[in-house]
């Protein structure tokens, strides 16, 4: 196992304790947290050591008869015990592939992990912990055969003290120098567990976030609660620091030194406090340190996310514990019947959402991959993000702080109704953990109480009164734990009055209505509540599918019937006409819808903000019939972070760095009549752009955000069969940017599809990219083909499927009469001697086979 000390790119530690604010409930809280768990963000520091446990794990995708089976010696003569374990690294999700497998339901059940640890706590009388950033969905932890802790909930952080169990194992006569560690994760269906299995996302199983081994001195800071307060005139600020400390004995003298560093690393304040740590003052709660006062503080904002560092050093009993937190100074206000203000100025919240999900990994995203995704969100121009629909990794929150993304974070009370006392206590525990664990992050402005809780289904009865009562108690708890932030709720109109900020369901142009109704519908909803925000809008788009007539389906849709999503609207079958069912799911339509919404939002001075659903395509068990099965395809990037065309629409409205993008980089062939005029669109934030076709200027256009579509940067171009080279030169503030693409134009008309043709597109190392095309009987490509095709492979290599992308699924709808798939053949073999056969099938068409 790699036992190198964990490094942090942010050079700070946040270590927060889960406080049981529901201990007076009549149920056994140990069902949720056993033993009392510390919830922490852990990094190497001078007073404690944290080691990220990523290597040398084994996994079993099934249950065991007992914990003894995890360690039972192999049968003599057999190289391995039965059942068979596989070697893996953490983070790991045991639904990494089957979540989007088109032929099966994803696995919901137990899975086991095991490893052996070489432990040596350097602190006399110290404690050894296992810290979990999140594990799904119910977890039990064993040292050898000793149950040392268990937890219910897949998204909050928790910690198990393994000190006593490790000591007990080391005392055994048969101890061989390493400590056996086994962990059971279980995501079995359970209606009395939050979130509901009716939720439009997978309830993943596994150790899909990082697990840390932590050594601490006997006396340590369990949690810090730091409250920065910025004056209304932004000229002064104060910092209130409260600590929870674990002492090693009944009474201990301690010294606490605290230093504040400005964003440049310069010390701007410090204090020293001497106390006697006793059982009584520990039980009383946090210890408050002298308040800090600062003049002319640097202000935190999305444009300038200035972060201060608070370093707290605890000295007691000859040992030292150091903790580092990062904070920011900002004021915010949601005006009643008005917009949002940050630091005294109106700020339109321009947001999106994030699910913890990725191609080939499920929820098991590495820190580097998370960082890459969050940077893409920031570079899209977002200043706001909703972390849907659950508490997310501490890595995400730190990135929001440092990148400048304001945050709505919520508990996973999502759909299904309201469960029993255990269910309700779990929700309160999740809310408590989320607020206490992420309290210090300046990016957080809203605690979400739930999502679509008006959606019945898990229980025989659905009582609005009971839901209101429980929501009211959640709202009160949130304000008790954190008076400085607001509470929010999305889509439960009968409870909209119980939270600070409310978002109704508005899906103009997708689930209901047409997108040109967006502003009027939003204004109607705005008038119904004191503080309005628009969370969730958008459209599905099948990456690589483009349309010459994207808005055709809008003529079928009834206008003035509202824009809310209703029961059955997400289905591809039945019900009233709607774009989600009758539209073409093209990137072209999605870009038009987004373009309209963004240009309208610029003319809504009363709007606090809106968040596009969602940044990245993600897996869901509720959408087996989508073009990519089991994938919600509303992302502006695919599940592997490949950008769709919509990404550049957002950039054209939201970013300042000059950019220009000709629509259609994944559209190789356009079609129409010979000489027919076609619109060429350029999405750009530049003041002016000039288009060139085959080296000839088509003239310049000036950008006007209200000139739909493409803010006026569009050209009507007569096209004839042949090859076209497009180039745009755009200017902004004296800077020039360019973009170019090549397309073919097909004027030949196609008849009914008659055959599939496979071809090899490229070879990149050990990866071969192949493509299927759909033709009629005259060899004319059917460019509007949307047939469902099934790929399969025989011979050498592996099909890169079950990725949940348009080019990474063995069952997929064609996009403009074609689809791609990749095959990997390890370079360790002789590529020249390898032989593979790819086949593709589609209903009522002959099977095509390609040897390669």
């Amino acid at each position: 196992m790699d036992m190198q000390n964990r490094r942090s790119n942010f050079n700070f530690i946040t270590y927060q304790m889960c406080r049981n604010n529901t201990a007076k409930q009549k149920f056994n809280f140990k069902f949720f947290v056993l033993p009392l768990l510390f919830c922490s963000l852990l990094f190497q520091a001078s007073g404690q050591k944290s080691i990220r446990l990523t290597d040398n794990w084994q996994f079993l995708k099934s249950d065991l008869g007992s914990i003894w089976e995890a360690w039972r010696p192999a049968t003599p003569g057999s190289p391995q015990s039965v059942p068979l374990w596989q070697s893996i690294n953490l983070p790991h999700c045991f639904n990494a592939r089957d979540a989007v497998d088109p032929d099966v339901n994803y696995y919901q059940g137990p899975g086991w992990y095991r490893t052996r640890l070489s432990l040596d706590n350097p602190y006399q009388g110290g404690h050894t912990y296992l810290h979990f950033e999140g594990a799904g969905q119910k977890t039990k932890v064993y040292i050898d055969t000793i149950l040392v802790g268990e937890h219910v909930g897949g998204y909050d952080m928790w910690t198990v003290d393994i000190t006593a169990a490790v000591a007990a194992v080391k005392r055994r006569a048969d101890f061989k120098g390493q400590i056996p560690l086994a962990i059971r994760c279980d995501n079995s269906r359970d209606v009395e567990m939050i979130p509901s299995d009716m939720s439009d996302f997978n309830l993943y199983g596994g150790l899909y976030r990082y697990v840390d081994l932590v050594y601490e001195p006997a006396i340590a800071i369990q949690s810090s609660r730091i409250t920065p307060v910025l004056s209304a005139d932004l000229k002064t600020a104060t910092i209130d620091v409260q600590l929870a400390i674990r002492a090693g004995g009944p009474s201990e003298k301690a010294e606490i030194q605290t230093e504040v560093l400005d964003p440049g690393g310069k010390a701007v304040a410090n204090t020293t406090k001497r106390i006697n740590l006793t059982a009584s003052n520990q039980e009383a709660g946090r210890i408050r340190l002298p308040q800090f006062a600062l003049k002319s503080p640097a202000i935190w904002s999305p444009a300038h996310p200035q972060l201060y560092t608070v370093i707290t050093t605890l000295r007691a009993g000859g040992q030292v514990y150091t903790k580092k937190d990062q904070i920011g100074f900002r004021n915010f206000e949601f005006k009643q019947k008005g917009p949002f203000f940050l630091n005294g100025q109106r700020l339109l919240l321009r947001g999106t959402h994030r699910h913890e999900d990725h191609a080939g990994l499920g929820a098991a995203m590495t820190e580097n991959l998370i960082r890459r995704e969050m940077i893409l969100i920031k570079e899209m121009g977002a200043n706001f993000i909703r972390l849907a629909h659950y508490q997310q990794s501490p890595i995400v929150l730190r990135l929001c702080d440092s990148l400048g993304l304001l945050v709505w974070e919520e508990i996973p009370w999502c759909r299904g109704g309201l469960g029993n006392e255990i269910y309700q206590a779990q929700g309160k525990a999740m809310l408590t953990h989320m607020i206490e664990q992420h309290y210090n992050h300046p990016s957080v402005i809203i605690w979400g109480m739930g999502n679509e809780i008006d959606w019945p289904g898990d229980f025989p009865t659905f009582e609005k009164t009971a839901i209101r009562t429980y929501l009211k108690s959640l709202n009160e708890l949130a304000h008790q734990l954190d008076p400085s932030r607001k509470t929010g709720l999305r889509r439960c109109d009968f409870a909209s009055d119980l939270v600070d900020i409310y978002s109704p369901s508005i899906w103009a142009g997708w689930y209901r209505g047409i997108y040109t109704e967006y502003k009027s519908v939003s204004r109607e909803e705005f008038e119904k509540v004191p503080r309005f925000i628009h969370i969730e809008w958008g459209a599905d788009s099948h990456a690589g599918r483009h349309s010459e007539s994207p808005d055709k389906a809008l003529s079928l849709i009834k206008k003035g019937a509202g824009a809310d999503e209703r029961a059955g609207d997400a289905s591809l079958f039945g019900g009233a006409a709607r774009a989600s069912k009758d539209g073409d799911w093209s990137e072209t339509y999605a870009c038009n819808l987004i373009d309209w919404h963004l240009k309208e939002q610029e003319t809504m001075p009363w709007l606090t903000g809106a968040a596009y659903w969602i940044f990245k395509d993600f897996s869901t068990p509720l959408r087996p019939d989508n073009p990519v099965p089991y994938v919600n395809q509303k992302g502006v990037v695919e599940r592997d972070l490949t950008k769709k065309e919509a990404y550049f629409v957002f950039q054209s409205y939201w970013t300042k760095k000059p950019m220009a993008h000709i629509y259609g980089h994944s559209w190789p062939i356009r079609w129409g009549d010979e000489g027919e005029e076609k619109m060429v669109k350029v999405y750009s934030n530049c003041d002016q752009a000039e288009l060139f076709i085959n080296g000839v200027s088509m003239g310049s256009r000036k950008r006007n955000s209200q000139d739909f579509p493409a803010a006026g940067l569009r050209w009507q171009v007569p096209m004839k069969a042949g090859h076209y080279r497009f180039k745009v030169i755009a200017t902004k503030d004296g800077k020039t940017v360019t973009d170019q693409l090549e397309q073919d134009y097909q004027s030949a008309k196609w008849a009914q599809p008659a055959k599939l043709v496979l071809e090899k597109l490229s070879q990149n190392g050990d990866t071969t990219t192949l493509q299927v095309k759909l033709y009629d009987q005259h060899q004319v490509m059917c460019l509007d083909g949307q047939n469902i095709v099934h790929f399969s492979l025989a011979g050498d290599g592996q099909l890169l499927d079950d990725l949940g992308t348009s080019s990474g699924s063995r069952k997929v709808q064609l996009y403009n009469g074609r689809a791609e798939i990749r095959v990997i053949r390890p370079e360790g073999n002789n590529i020249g001697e390898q032989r593979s056969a790819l086949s593709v099938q589609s209903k009522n068409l002959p099977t095509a086979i390609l040897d390669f």
Side-chain angles (χ1 to χ4, degrees):
M1 178 175 297
D2 180 8
M3 299 296 284
Q4 295 296 317
N5 286 331
R6 176 176 174 179
R7 298 288 194 262
S8 166
N9 289 324
F10 294 91
N11 190 30
F12 70 99
I13 299 171
T14 307
Y15 190 9
Q16 296 176 308
M17 181 180 68
C18 286
R19 294 170 60 231
N20 179 7
N21 283 295
T22 55
K24 296 182 180 179
Q25 295 286 336
K26 295 181 180 180
F27 74 106
N28 185 356
F29 191 73
K30 292 183 179 180
F31 183 76
F32 297 110
V33 185
L34 177 66
L36 179 61
L37 305 175
F38 305 149
C39 301
S40 50
L41 313 179
L42 300 164
F43 298 90
Q44 180 187 1
S46 60
Q48 58 279 340
K49 293 184 178 179
S50 176
I51 302 160
R52 184 173 276 179
L53 304 178
T54 57
D55 304 331
N56 298 329
W57 287 87
Q58 290 185 312
F59 169 68
L60 178 68
K61 191 176 181 179
S62 71
D63 210 353
L64 295 174
S66 71
I67 179 58
W68 167 238
E69 284 193 292
W71 308 115
R72 183 175 59 196
T75 304
S78 173
Q80 193 169 0
S81 63
V82 177
L84 299 179
W85 296 69
Q86 66 181 99
S87 296
I88 57 99
N89 292 329
L90 298 186
H92 177 267
C93 174
F94 49 76
N95 303 113
R97 306 295 288 244
D98 68 3
V100 291
D101 187 322
D103 301 318
V104 301
N105 292 324
Y106 80 106
Y107 177 75
Q108 290 183 273
W112 282 85
Y113 297 86
R114 70 180 183 185
T115 190
R116 294 181 184 270
L117 304 176
S118 298
L119 301 182
D120 186 16
N121 192 321
Y123 304 109
Q124 184 177 2
H127 290 255
T128 303
Y129 297 97
L130 290 172
H131 170 258
F132 296 80
E133 293 186 358
Q137 295 284 319
K138 301 176 184 177
T139 310
K140 292 184 177 181
V141 183
Y142 296 85
I143 294 296
D144 196 59
T145 59
I146 305 168
L147 177 64
V148 292
E150 57 187 309
H151 185 75
V152 173
Y155 311 106
D156 51 343
M157 296 181 289
W158 50 286
T159 302
V160 176
D161 190 336
I162 62 173
T163 310
V166 169
V169 172
K170 286 185 174 182
R171 288 194 297 266
R172 293 178 182 174
D174 61 348
F175 176 62
K176 297 180 180 180
Q178 287 189 313
I179 300 297
L181 167 64
I183 301 170
R184 182 185 189 270
C185 294
D186 187 0
N187 68 335
S188 298
R189 298 177 72 87
D190 183 351
V191 295
E192 292 294 351
M193 186 181 73
I194 298 174
S196 168
D197 281 294
M198 293 184 64
S199 300
D200 197 5
F201 56 92
N202 292 88
L203 275 61
Y204 285 126
L207 297 177
Y208 46 64
R209 295 185 191 162
Y210 288 110
V211 179
D212 297 306
L213 172 66
V214 182
Y215 296 131
E216 286 191 353
I219 301 175
I221 300 171
Q222 292 180 332
S223 70
S224 64
R225 181 184 178 94
I226 303 177
T227 306
V229 178
L230 179 64
S231 64
D233 62 7
L234 313 184
K235 294 181 179 180
T236 60
T238 60
I239 304 174
D240 180 77
V241 180
Q242 298 179 55
L243 304 174
I245 297 175
R246 184 198 67 242
S251 180
E252 194 80 53
K253 291 183 179 180
E255 179 184 89
I256 304 172
Q257 291 183 330
T258 306
E259 185 176 41
V260 180
L261 308 182
D262 70 11
K266 178 183 177 182
V268 292
N270 63 79
T271 186
T272 300
K273 183 181 180 72
R274 293 176 176 84
I275 60 172
N276 286 324
L277 293 173
T278 64
S280 60
N281 67 22
Q282 290 177 68
E283 292 174 359
R286 296 183 176 92
I287 296 171
R288 174 167 284 170
L289 303 184
Q291 191 178 78
F292 296 95
L294 301 179
K295 294 182 179 179
S296 303
I299 309 301
W300 187 97
S301 70
H304 302 285
Q306 305 270 26
L307 294 171
Y308 283 73
T309 303
V310 179
I311 304 173
T312 305
T313 303
L314 171 66
R315 294 181 173 87
Q319 297 181 347
V320 179
Y321 186 101
T322 300
K323 183 177 185 301
K324 299 180 182 179
D325 298 285
Q326 287 199 312
I327 62 170
F329 296 102
R330 84 285 182 273
N331 287 331
F332 71 91
E333 181 183 7
F334 286 87
K335 294 282 188 181
Q336 186 166 341
K337 293 296 183 182
F340 173 78
F341 279 75
L342 182 70
N343 303 324
Q345 296 184 340
R346 193 226 171 173
L347 178 70
L348 178 62
L349 295 174
R350 295 168 166 165
T352 187
H353 306 72
R354 179 186 188 268
H355 259 303
E356 193 170 57
D357 184 82
H358 195 80
L361 299 174
M365 295 181 66
T366 63
E367 183 167 3
N368 286 338
L369 190 55
I370 293 171
R371 182 179 296 109
R372 179 184 165 201
E373 178 179 351
M374 298 302 291
I375 290 173
L376 282 175
I377 292 172
K378 183 66 176 181
E379 289 178 345
M380 187 178 78
N383 59 25
F384 173 63
I385 188 168
R386 177 176 175 229
L387 303 179
H389 293 294
Y390 38 78
Q391 179 177 333
Q392 296 197 9
S393 164
I395 298 168
V396 174
L397 273 296
R398 294 197 299 272
L399 285 164
C400 290
D401 291 341
S402 62
L403 291 172
L405 289 167
L406 292 157
V407 170
W408 165 323
E409 187 173 34
E410 68 190 28
I411 61 171
W413 184 22
C414 185
R415 299 188 177 183
L418 181 64
N420 64 17
E421 289 184 0
I422 292 178
Y423 178 104
Q424 294 179 35
Q426 183 192 4
K428 290 184 178 180
M430 286 180 165
L431 178 61
T432 300
H433 296 172
M434 180 178 71
I435 293 176
E436 298 239 335
Q437 291 165 24
H438 292 167
Y439 179 90
N440 293 343
H441 292 283
S443 54
V444 179
I445 57 173
I446 300 171
W447 300 119
M449 301 295 99
N451 176 70
E452 297 178 353
I453 59 175
D454 61 347
W455 199 301
D458 279 342
F459 308 99
T461 59
F462 181 80
E463 299 180 6
K464 293 183 179 181
T465 300
I467 289 175
R468 281 183 56 88
T469 299
Y470 182 60
L471 178 61
K472 186 174 184 293
S473 69
L474 287 178
N475 190 70
E476 291 172 350
L477 176 60
H479 284 299
Q480 172 191 336
L481 294 169
D482 184 2
S484 70
R485 292 181 172 96
K486 299 301 182 183
T487 58
L489 177 68
R490 182 191 169 271
R491 217 199 91 163
C492 185
D493 287 349
F494 64 78
S496 63
D497 60 310
L498 298 179
V499 293
D500 299 328
I501 302 157
Y502 181 69
S503 174
S505 176
I506 303 174
W507 283 90
W510 191 244
Y511 289 126
R512 189 78 43 168
I514 60 176
Y515 57 74
T516 55
E517 297 177 298
Y518 167 64
K519 183 189 289 187
S520 61
V521 171
S522 296
R523 183 71 196 197
E524 290 175 12
E525 296 295 334
F526 167 82
E527 297 294 348
K528 296 177 182 178
V529 293
R531 293 175 179 85
F532 166 91
I533 192 169
H534 183 202
I535 301 295
E536 294 194 22
W537 60 277
D540 284 272
S541 62
H542 189 30
R545 178 179 290 170
H546 305 274
S547 177
E548 297 288 2
S549 54
D551 294 340
K552 182 178 179 181
L554 294 182
S555 62
L556 307 174
I557 297 169
K558 183 178 180 181
K559 302 177 182 63
D564 57 314
E565 180 189 3
R566 304 175 193 176
D569 281 356
S571 172
L572 301 181
F573 311 98
R578 54 191 183 276
S580 58
K581 175 175 70 75
D582 303 292
D584 57 22
W585 284 52
S586 68
E587 292 195 54
T588 325
Y589 179 78
C591 284
N592 281 353
L593 180 146
I594 291 166
D595 194 355
W596 184 271
H597 277 70
L598 296 181
K599 75 103 172 174
E600 292 288 70
Q601 288 167 11
E602 290 193 349
T603 65
M604 299 161 69
W606 42 269
L607 181 65
T608 56
Y612 178 86
W613 183 268
I614 187 172
F615 179 68
K616 181 171 66 174
D617 291 350
F618 65 95
S619 69
T620 167
L622 304 185
R623 300 172 186 260
D625 300 312
N626 278 7
V628 178
Y630 294 110
V631 175
N632 188 313
Q633 296 178 247
K634 296 182 181 69
V636 297
V637 300
E638 287 199 80
R639 202 165 173 252
D640 61 358
L641 295 179
T642 299
K643 295 174 184 176
K644 301 183 190 179
E645 297 292 314
Y647 184 90
F648 304 99
V649 185
F650 281 99
Q651 279 196 324
S652 72
Y653 280 91
W654 286 0
T655 63
K656 294 182 179 180
K657 182 180 178 180
M659 57 79 58
H661 179 85
I662 305 171
Y663 177 88
H665 279 247
S666 58
W667 193 4
I669 307 175
R670 296 194 65 169
W671 67 90
D673 294 333
E674 193 75 5
E676 182 179 351
E677 284 194 348
K678 293 295 180 180
M679 183 183 294
V680 177
K681 296 183 293 186
V682 173
Y683 294 112
S684 176
N685 59 6
C686 294
D687 303 322
Q688 184 169 301
E690 183 177 6
L691 180 70
F692 295 84
I693 300 180
N694 296 331
V696 178
S697 175
M698 296 291 106
S700 297
R701 301 283 187 273
K702 290 186 177 181
R703 187 180 191 276
N704 174 6
S705 68
Q706 299 307 299
D707 187 358
F708 176 84
L713 302 180
R714 59 184 186 272
W715 290 257
Q716 291 295 129
V717 179
M719 299 185 75
K720 297 180 180 180
H723 187 72
Y724 286 81
R725 290 177 289 107
F726 298 92
K727 181 178 181 179
V728 65
I729 300 176
T731 56
K732 179 181 181 181
D733 300 328
K735 296 180 180 179
T736 299
V737 290
T738 66
D739 186 41
Q740 51 192 347
L741 65 82
E742 296 188 26
Q743 286 178 324
D744 290 324
Y745 186 76
Q746 177 179 309
S747 59
K749 303 297 186 294
W750 56 89
Q752 289 296 315
K755 67 176 182 178
L756 299 166
V757 175
L758 281 166
E759 62 183 12
K760 180 178 176 180
L761 282 184
S762 64
Q763 182 77 43
N764 185 9
D766 58 2
T767 303
T768 305
T769 302
L770 303 110
Q771 179 175 245
V772 61
K773 292 181 178 179
L774 182 66
Y775 290 90
D776 70 4
Q777 69 272 28
H778 303 296
Q779 308 301 313
V780 178
M781 190 172 175
C782 305
L783 295 176
D784 63 351
Q786 299 185 11
N787 303 51
I788 298 173
V789 296
H790 299 252
F791 293 103
S792 59
L793 182 71
D796 298 310
Q798 177 186 355
L799 201 65
L800 291 181
D801 60 349
D802 293 342
L803 300 179
T805 65
S806 62
S807 60
S809 179
R810 67 178 175 275
K811 177 183 178 182
V812 66
Q813 278 188 17
L814 297 177
Y815 27 94
N816 300 136
R818 67 185 188 94
E820 294 180 9
I821 196 74
R822 287 167 292 162
V823 173
I824 185 168
R825 294 189 291 196
E827 290 183 312
N829 300 324
N830 188 333
I831 296 293
E833 296 178 358
Q834 291 183 356
R835 184 181 179 188
S836 305
L838 180 72
S839 69
V840 62
Q841 298 172 296
S842 186
K843 187 177 180 180
N844 299 325
L845 292 172
T847 299
I849 300 175
L850 176 67
D851 288 311
F852 65 101

